[in-house]
Amino acid sequence: MSGAAMALGRPTPLGARWTGDGVNFAVFSAHAESIELCLFDPAGARELARIALPGRSGDIWHGFLPGAGPGLVYAYRAHGRYAPRQGHRFNKHKLLLDPYARALVGELRYGDEIYGFSRGGAKSWRQDISDSASSVPKAVVVDTHAFDWRGDRPPRTPMDRTVVYELHPKGFTRLHPDVPAHLRGTYLGLAQPAVLDYLVKLGVTAVELMPAQQFITEPWLHERGLQNYWGYNTLAFFAPHAGFALADPLREFREMVRALHGAGLEVILDVVFNHTAEGGDGGPTLSMRGLDNLSYYRLAPDDLRRNINWTGCGNTLNLDHPEVLRLVLDCLRYWAAEMHVDGFRFDLATTLGREGQDFHRDGRFFSAIHQDPVLSNVKLIAEPWDLGPNGYRLGSFPRDWAEWNDRFRNTTREYWRGDAGVVPQLAERLAGSSDLFAAAGRGPPESVNYVACHDGFTLHDTVSYSRKHNQANGEENRDGDDHAVSWNSGAEGHTADAEILRRRARQQRNLLATLLLSQGVPMLQAGDEFARTQRGNNNAYCQDNEVSWVDWRLRESHRTLVAFVAQLLRIRAENAVFRRQGFLAGVRREAGRFKDVSWLKTDGSEIAADDWRDPSLRAFAMLLDSTGLPPSQQQPEIGDSFLVLFNAGSEPIEFTLPAPIASEAWEVTLDTSEDELAVPAAGYRQGHVYRLAGQSLALLADHG
């Protein structure tokens, strides 16, 4: 089909850019022989024209279409060699999505035509010549500046004052009774006053949205009748996921961000740049695979038909290539500058730091972000592992990068489960994990601490299930973590036993208190503050249903747990001793009256070296001295000193209390053995005994 002539256009910027008098198209391919622009009707159903891009500057193909504007639906076809053994997958019969697409129209239909080769049998790897245009989404030209931000300003919460709240953009409000029914499960649902008010009163400072870039369900999952719920299968990096919008994902995402900012809440976006939705060797040809497979993906050097799979998702994006690195940086800059996102959590971030096979903390990706005037000023959080060689890199990322600290989760759970010999590691985690971060000149704010996240058991399920129950995922319970630290407190799953329920409630309070009284940046998983359950499923990635959606009915039945978390977050916000920029070291600071932290035995004496090696040690105290902290501009008042008592044993323990640092007596602020919030009780002086129940924690304040 022929079309109107195009002008030469420009090679920058990449993507489709409306200039006011037309649209400039630019797309990268180093190995294509020609690239056609395909134009469609507004629904993306009927192809109207094919026009060869007339310009090529280096490896950028480009052209300018006069008179075109926002709303134009388009895609590409790339002509070149189909030679899988040489890494080339060009196939003119496959319609390809622009990697820079800002918005999409249409949905993926799962059929043989979306694959670039004949599937199975003797015809495997033979080029497939069925046309995919009717079965794949297309891109839509948008005016990215057509939004009134109304003076929106980022909250810019300092990292040491940040409390992250991980939530799913759909699941958080899908069942929310105070969100209008038609807005539940959408971006606009998160912008509703009832949601904003809840988050602010709880005391969190940032929402970390699980993936909201346009994603699709994997074909093999679709065949089982399931959907990708989590979203770690990105099709279009620049486009907000349409499934979370009523009509206009771009506008509605921005309205959500504006509303969250108006409530003082930052927006951190969980982004997936380690792989794409095109899957492994046998995956579909939807975008990058057809544009330039050899450039966009890491391929096995001994067989270029095969993808390197360091991600466990079939392919690995090739950030060694400068144009692929450019794509990722342009995308991050777009979300930060144009969508007003305040930071990013990078899924499988080790992959992004690899050059060749090896991880480099000073590599090209990190250096590019460090020098970028936009990206160097947003929050950067790494999931510090992948499945490649030496992929576990906790503590190895550059300065100013925070990292998900799974050792905090595991150690805290092991301690409260009653495991032997855990106290020395727990002390490290409480003090900010200097063993992981100090060597590189980093501090506690670069450790993102958590006791539960989307990937694994919820907090409630951690203390209610000793093993996973993932049968609903259709993999015969083979998926998910077989070695998750969890316990059922006396019965597997649901029970009406009152004593077991009390035990579970206490352990949830223990885990939450340990998290929120530790140095570092705490992260809560949405709904854990009112005992959300996934019925023992510790890998609910494909459960787009009530297994994963937050059940807001639990908020009322667990209102004391919500109040408990809010109380802890207030204490944390008001007292700098829990938010130090430097590690606790057990030394006396220049202005301090005592050591910054003292580790005490139950008799009030300090824990000696031999005591740390005692595997039976399960009860101890942490004394935090605030007098050596300098006032900061953000908080002129330092706050109080505190004594935290820990008892993971099953029996009550009597603690002989040390002298208060600045007052005459300790005040009991909270005790996790109590079902209701503790009423502050003063009068505990030096030498007094505090009896702490088994499997409990108590917090005593010194209001000096």
Side-chain angles (χ1 to χ4, degrees):
M1 182 184 297
S2 62
M6 294 185 76
L8 195 61
R10 298 173 56 84
T12 57
L14 288 166
R17 180 64 61 92
W18 180 52
T19 62
D21 58 351
V23 176
N24 190 81
F25 296 90
V27 61
F28 160 74
S29 180
H31 298 98
E33 295 170 1
S34 65
I35 291 183
E36 289 179 309
L37 172 69
C38 303
L39 306 179
F40 290 82
D41 70 341
R46 184 165 60 93
E47 188 171 338
L48 305 177
R50 287 188 200 178
I51 314 166
L53 291 179
R56 181 174 185 178
S57 300
D59 293 328
I60 307 299
W61 301 78
H62 51 88
F64 181 80
L65 188 61
L72 181 68
V73 177
Y74 74 100
Y76 294 116
R77 294 180 188 270
H79 296 252
R81 297 174 61 209
Y82 180 80
R85 290 188 182 277
Q86 284 76 52
H88 300 305
R89 300 283 197 96
F90 293 104
N91 188 332
K92 65 182 181 181
H93 306 286
K94 307 304 168 185
L95 196 73
L96 306 174
L97 188 66
D98 182 358
Y100 279 73
R102 263 57 169 185
L104 276 60
V105 65
E107 295 184 357
L108 180 67
R109 295 195 330 198
Y110 297 83
D112 289 347
E113 67 276 8
I114 67 174
Y115 296 87
F117 59 93
S118 299
R119 302 174 70 198
K123 295 181 179 180
S124 182
W125 296 108
R126 183 179 300 177
Q127 187 178 38
D128 180 82
I129 60 172
S130 58
D131 196 276
S132 67
S134 64
S135 300
V136 297
K138 291 86 179 173
V140 182
V141 176
V142 299
D143 178 4
T144 60
H145 302 294
F147 183 76
D148 182 4
W149 281 103
R150 301 178 187 172
D152 176 68
R153 292 290 183 271
R156 296 200 181 281
T157 306
M159 201 65 182
D160 64 302
R161 298 185 67 88
T162 295
V163 179
V164 179
Y165 191 78
E166 187 195 30
L167 62 82
H168 189 281
K170 176 180 180 179
F172 191 62
T173 64
R174 181 64 181 80
L175 301 176
H176 201 302
D178 299 324
V179 171
H182 70 290
L183 297 180
R184 294 173 188 168
T186 69
Y187 299 124
L188 296 181
L190 289 172
Q192 296 307 296
V195 174
L196 301 175
D197 184 62
Y198 174 78
L199 294 171
V200 170
K201 287 183 177 178
L202 184 64
V204 300
T205 69
V207 296
E208 182 175 299
L209 301 180
M210 289 178 66
Q213 298 164 299
Q214 183 65 50
F215 63 87
I216 59 173
T217 291
E218 296 86 340
W220 53 269
L221 201 55
H222 175 77
E223 291 171 3
R224 294 184 197 160
L226 298 170
Q227 298 180 23
N228 186 315
Y229 172 68
W230 283 355
Y232 296 93
N233 196 46
T234 312
L235 176 65
F237 290 139
F238 288 78
H241 184 64
F244 304 149
L246 297 179
D248 186 343
L250 188 64
R251 175 182 57 80
E252 293 170 35
F253 184 94
R254 286 168 159 171
E255 289 184 10
M256 174 198 69
V257 171
R258 187 177 64 195
L260 287 163
H261 282 178
L265 298 166
E266 292 187 304
V267 179
I268 298 170
L269 187 60
D270 195 338
V271 289
V272 185
F273 292 116
N274 56 80
H275 74 282
T276 76
E278 291 185 299
D281 325 322
T285 296
L286 304 172
S287 180
M288 300 178 195
R289 176 166 282 144
L291 284 168
D292 194 342
N293 184 61
L294 189 60
S295 295
Y296 277 109
Y297 293 112
R298 293 184 183 270
L299 306 179
D302 58 341
D303 186 352
L304 295 178
R305 296 176 300 176
R306 307 294 182 187
N307 288 89
I308 290 175
N309 185 18
W310 290 336
T311 65
C313 300
N315 66 56
T316 305
L317 209 58
N318 179 24
L319 268 70
D320 278 352
H321 196 291
E323 287 297 338
V324 181
L325 177 60
R326 176 186 183 183
L327 167 70
V328 173
L329 295 170
D330 285 350
C331 184
L332 291 170
R333 202 176 297 111
Y334 173 75
W335 283 99
E338 300 290 339
M339 306 296 278
H340 287 206
V341 164
D342 302 287
F344 303 97
R345 181 264 188 188
F346 294 84
D347 181 61
L348 300 181
T350 296
T351 298
L352 308 180
R354 290 186 184 274
E355 295 183 0
Q357 181 173 283
D358 300 326
F359 176 85
H360 295 276
R361 71 187 310 156
D362 56 352
R364 287 184 292 269
F365 173 70
F366 300 122
S367 297
I369 285 182
H370 180 72
Q371 61 80 39
D372 188 283
V374 174
L375 300 180
S376 60
N377 285 294
V378 301
K379 287 182 168 65
L380 304 167
I381 303 172
E383 182 184 42
W385 49 79
D386 68 10
L387 302 185
N390 300 310
Y392 187 78
R393 307 298 303 189
L394 178 61
S396 299
F397 281 72
R399 293 185 66 175
D400 300 322
W401 277 71
E403 303 177 37
W404 271 27
N405 189 345
D406 64 327
R407 291 192 190 175
F408 183 96
R409 175 197 61 194
N410 295 344
T411 301
T412 303
R413 289 184 180 185
E414 287 165 353
Y415 173 74
W416 287 113
R417 187 172 64 177
D419 291 11
V422 178
V423 170
Q425 277 296 307
L426 180 64
E428 282 280 10
R429 304 300 149 242
L430 293 166
S433 295
S434 63
D435 58 330
L436 301 173
F437 296 101
R442 303 163 73 190
E446 287 158 310
S447 175
V448 175
N449 302 329
Y450 60 102
V451 291
C453 66
H454 73 272
D455 192 0
F457 286 119
T458 66
L459 179 67
H460 169 275
D461 291 359
T462 295
V463 300
S464 305
Y465 293 88
S466 294
R467 58 188 183 276
K468 64 185 183 181
H469 296 264
N470 298 355
Q471 289 83 357
N473 297 351
E475 300 182 47
E476 299 180 344
N477 209 33
R478 293 188 301 268
D479 63 302
D481 187 356
D482 289 310
H483 306 288
V485 182
S486 68
W487 61 101
N488 64 25
S489 304
E492 188 72 5
H494 179 74
T495 182
D497 187 298
E499 178 55 34
I500 292 175
L501 293 175
R502 280 194 294 270
R503 197 178 302 146
R504 289 175 177 175
R506 180 185 300 182
Q507 289 285 39
Q508 289 174 75
R509 292 192 292 269
N510 289 335
L511 289 163
L512 288 165
T514 305
L515 170 66
L516 299 178
L517 299 176
S518 294
Q519 305 301 318
V521 175
M523 182 181 76
L524 294 166
Q525 181 185 208
D528 277 349
E529 72 276 15
F530 47 80
R532 184 177 77 88
T533 178
Q534 292 178 173
R535 307 167 196 168
N537 192 323
N538 75 352
N539 190 35
Y541 72 101
C542 57
Q543 299 299 316
D544 189 3
N545 50 47
E546 293 184 357
V547 170
S548 297
W549 301 339
V550 172
D551 183 354
W552 287 91
R553 294 173 300 182
L554 296 170
R555 177 176 51 168
E556 178 59 27
S557 59
H558 292 82
R559 61 185 182 278
T560 57
L561 185 58
V562 177
F564 177 80
V565 172
Q567 179 190 25
L568 279 166
L569 287 174
R570 283 195 300 273
I571 292 170
R572 184 180 182 88
E574 293 169 359
N575 295 279
V577 75
F578 297 115
R579 298 179 284 98
R580 288 181 179 266
Q581 304 252 5
F583 297 106
L584 296 173
V587 298
R588 182 180 177 277
R589 305 297 178 181
E590 184 175 346
R593 300 180 186 176
F594 296 94
K595 296 177 181 178
D596 55 3
V597 61
S598 298
W599 306 102
L600 307 178
K601 295 190 292 187
T602 58
D603 65 4
S605 63
E606 287 203 52
I607 298 177
D610 288 343
D611 299 321
W612 288 114
R613 291 190 284 269
D614 181 359
S616 67
L617 180 63
R618 286 182 173 83
F620 69 100
M622 175 176 68
L623 176 61
L624 300 173
D625 176 20
S626 67
T627 60
L629 282 167
S632 67
Q633 187 174 4
Q634 291 82 15
Q635 180 173 306
E637 299 297 327
I638 295 300
D640 300 324
S641 298
F642 287 88
L643 180 67
V644 190
L645 311 179
F646 296 84
N647 180 17
S650 58
E651 299 299 322
I653 290 286
E654 292 187 345
F655 283 84
T656 301
L657 302 182
I661 293 173
S663 68
E664 295 184 358
W666 294 103
E667 178 182 284
V668 180
T669 303
L670 61 84
D671 186 325
T672 63
S673 67
E674 303 293 333
D675 292 334
E676 299 292 333
L677 291 181
V679 177
Y684 287 90
R685 300 176 182 273
Q686 181 178 8
H688 283 192
V689 170
Y690 187 87
R691 183 178 172 85
L692 182 63
Q695 296 180 336
S696 298
L697 175 153
L699 178 67
L700 285 69
D702 174 14
H703 302 299

